[in-house]
Amino acid sequence: APMKALTSIRTDGDKIEIVDQLLLPHTTQYIEVKTIEDAHSAIKTMRIRGAPAIASLAALAFAADLSSGLQTSADYLMSPEALKAHVEPILAYLYTARPTAVNLGTAIRELTAVLESRIKAGKDAKTICEALIATAHRVADEDVGRNKQMAQLGGDWLAERRQKNGASGEGLNVLTVCNTGSLATSGYGTALGLITYLHETGKLGTAFFTQTAPYHQGSRCDAWMLAHGSTRLTVYCQTDRAGA
């Protein structure tokens, strides 16, 4: 049976809420992200983790800020130059929340490219603003389909590989490291998405997962997601910090 849909971010119009991942798995609490500063803080304090999820939150907060400006006819909509002066510092600030999150950097560059190309094309500030909002929402949504396709390709490959070695393609025991599920992405997950796919297709035996520093997010977040799917699961505990 399909796992229940889980996500680190939920929206209602421009209202944004995230699961506070520091409280999982024992407490599931959503907190509202009302401002750019709230988004920056949530990313920096690791209340939201995973490069795709981080990029999604930053993009949604950015879109909500511009949407508010459109509704109130903000001064920065008076000219493309004024809009640029408003947008560029916001994007630079969001990037500082987690410079190592690859998807965040990619999203910032994509939004900057849209801004610059529309200005170069002579578009007015309102049109540019609308294009930025649309791009930000696409950034927040686009990796779900990729994740599902990747999970299917990986899951089928793993089952076929086992069958070629003379074993059954079912009852597969899979180990994953760190937080790679729907909480870390825009939905479904990457490595944990493969495990989800195997579970949904009846090929999964037991999911093994490990903890990761600094907040054991690998164990806590994966436990929460796997338990929601009624998956057989076992945690491997790290007993030393060799090389740390």
Side-chain angles (χ1 to χ4, degrees):
M3 288 190 183
K4 298 176 184 177
L6 297 172
T7 179
S8 55
I9 306 170
R10 65 185 186 189
T11 60
D12 181 8
D14 286 326
K15 182 179 180 180
I16 307 166
E17 293 181 320
I18 63 169
V19 174
D20 188 341
Q21 294 187 24
L22 295 178
L23 302 179
L24 295 175
H26 303 296
T27 301
T28 303
Q29 178 178 310
Y30 281 86
I31 55 177
E32 188 171 359
V33 176
K34 298 180 180 179
T35 64
I36 295 293
E37 290 75 18
D38 286 348
H40 185 281
S41 175
I43 295 168
K44 193 171 184 65
T45 59
M46 301 187 77
R47 283 178 168 79
I48 188 167
R49 303 187 190 87
I54 286 170
S56 293
L57 176 60
L60 288 169
F62 175 72
D65 178 84
L66 293 186
S67 179
S68 175
L70 281 176
Q71 293 170 18
T72 59
S73 299
D75 290 344
Y76 59 76
L77 294 175
M78 294 180 65
S79 70
E81 292 73 21
L83 177 61
K84 182 177 181 179
H86 175 75
V87 164
E88 287 187 334
I90 290 176
L91 294 178
Y93 175 64
L94 286 169
Y95 180 72
T96 65
R98 189 68 53 78
T100 55
V102 174
N103 298 61
L104 177 60
T106 300
I108 297 299
R109 288 190 294 273
E110 186 171 352
L111 289 164
T112 300
V114 169
L115 173 67
E116 293 177 348
S117 66
R118 298 303 193 278
I119 290 176
K120 187 175 181 180
K123 302 296 183 181
D124 63 88
K126 182 175 181 292
T127 300
I128 298 171
C129 191
E130 290 170 344
L132 287 169
I133 291 171
T135 302
H137 281 291
R138 180 172 55 76
V139 165
D141 296 335
E142 65 185 355
D143 81 317
V144 178
R146 290 198 303 256
N147 291 343
K148 289 185 176 181
Q149 183 180 21
M150 179 168 55
Q152 180 178 350
L153 290 171
D156 290 346
W157 175 86
L158 190 60
E160 290 168 5
R161 183 179 176 87
R162 290 284 292 161
Q163 289 172 331
K164 286 180 180 179
N165 291 333
S168 169
E170 299 180 352
L172 298 172
N173 299 322
V174 185
L175 169 69
T176 185
V177 179
C178 200
N179 173 22
T180 59
S182 56
L183 289 177
T185 65
S186 296
Y188 206 74
T190 52
L192 201 66
L194 183 151
I195 291 175
T196 299
Y197 172 74
L198 291 175
H199 173 73
E200 291 176 348
T201 54
K203 299 174 184 176
L204 181 68
T206 299
F208 296 90
F209 56 98
T210 61
Q211 60 195 47
T212 42
Y215 297 112
H216 303 311
Q217 60 265 39
S219 57
R220 296 191 297 104
C221 295
D222 285 352
W224 188 73
M225 287 181 285
L226 290 168
H228 269 69
S230 301
T231 307
R232 288 182 58 191
L233 52 98
T234 301
V235 61
Y236 278 138
C237 293
Q238 182 179 0
T239 57
D240 60 31
R241 295 296 301 276

